[in-house]
Amino acid sequence: MGRERGLHDHPSAPARGWGTQKGDLQTEPPGGDAGVEPADHALGRSRGGWTTKLHLGCEQGRKPLALLITAGQRGDSPQFAAVLERIQVPRLDAGRPRTRPDRLLADKAYSSKGNRAYLRRRRIRCVIPVKDDQAANRRKRGSKGGRPPTFDKETYKQRHAVECGINLLKQHRAVATRFDKLAVRYEATVHVTAINIWLRCLERNF
């Protein structure tokens, strides 16, 4: 799992201060982009200005499997399940598409009890480092804190695939720098880019 912000200057975006505004709080369901901007814009204030955030899930070969577009200030962890539920990998033989990966690698941003519980319900193994404050709270509770989640450092090194996958998408200028007013058009651009990445891979294999 990974995420990336597409930086841009949108001509129709109103000027606002840097302070936290009431509209910046994530009150809509995960995957939503409603708030200070119309739902079809997916724009929001973050450190980089008015931005759009791309949440990405990819396979170990750096090819995209699922993606989600939100406003730039929206949190990463709330989009975790929404991205995973978009994964559908067709089978070579007859049958339903695969929707459950064998193993999931993600960074500390996704280390929450809710996300780990979601993965346990779906029986998905994961390698996610624990945040320092979460580890400290567990130690503070002593035996009541329970055992820390297992973490394989060597396997976690493979998480570079999602960073490389983001870089593959950003090789296309229209993805790296958003100029589309509507989020649906920008999302379509990202999907076309993902299709091109898969087609190039297929051409090399045949």
Side-chain angles (χ1 to χ4, degrees):
M1 292 287 294
R3 72 276 183 204
E4 182 62 29
R5 295 183 179 90
L7 302 182
H8 63 283
D9 290 322
H10 199 278
S12 63
R16 287 180 52 196
W18 282 99
T20 301
Q21 303 293 325
K22 185 176 181 180
D24 291 334
L25 302 178
Q26 180 159 326
T27 57
E28 79 280 2
D33 47 27
V36 294
E37 277 290 307
D40 59 345
H41 282 195
L43 290 169
R45 175 72 68 182
S46 68
R47 291 185 179 182
W50 282 98
T51 64
T52 294
K53 187 178 290 186
L54 171 61
H55 307 267
L56 176 69
C58 72
E59 47 90 64
Q60 202 58 41
R62 306 177 298 171
K63 296 182 290 296
L65 292 177
L67 57 92
L68 184 66
I69 304 295
T70 66
Q73 83 279 13
R74 299 306 176 196
D76 302 319
S77 185
Q79 322 306 329
F80 182 80
V83 174
L84 281 179
E85 289 173 359
R86 293 189 173 200
I87 294 178
Q88 290 192 350
V89 180
R91 299 179 186 271
L92 296 179
D93 53 356
R96 296 180 179 179
R98 286 194 59 184
T99 59
R100 188 179 64 188
D102 295 328
R103 176 180 294 164
L104 183 138
L105 311 179
D107 62 20
K108 290 183 178 181
Y110 304 97
S111 177
S112 69
K113 291 183 179 179
N115 289 340
R116 294 182 186 275
Y118 171 82
L119 293 174
R120 285 195 296 270
R121 288 196 302 271
R122 295 193 59 186
R123 293 179 295 174
I124 300 176
R125 294 181 298 168
C126 68
V127 180
I128 305 176
V130 179
K131 291 183 178 180
D132 295 337
D133 59 339
Q134 293 175 344
N137 291 335
R138 181 180 294 106
R139 291 193 298 267
K140 187 184 300 183
R141 298 183 60 187
S143 59
K144 295 182 180 180
R147 296 181 179 179
T150 57
F151 178 69
D152 188 340
K153 291 184 178 180
E154 290 301 316
T155 302
Y156 185 69
K157 292 179 181 179
Q158 300 176 14
R159 201 191 70 82
H160 71 88
V162 71
E163 305 296 342
C164 295
I166 290 173
N167 289 335
L168 280 178
L169 290 173
K170 291 172 65 177
Q171 289 179 5
H172 295 74
R173 183 178 179 182
V175 174
T177 306
R178 172 183 170 178
F179 294 100
D180 303 283
K181 178 179 180 180
L182 301 181
V184 64
R185 293 180 181 174
Y186 177 65
E187 186 172 5
T189 300
V190 181
H191 278 292
V192 170
T193 302
I195 291 172
N196 288 335
I197 292 174
W198 276 96
L199 289 177
R200 287 204 304 267
C201 178
L202 293 175
E203 288 178 354
R204 290 194 297 267
N205 294 333
F206 290 97

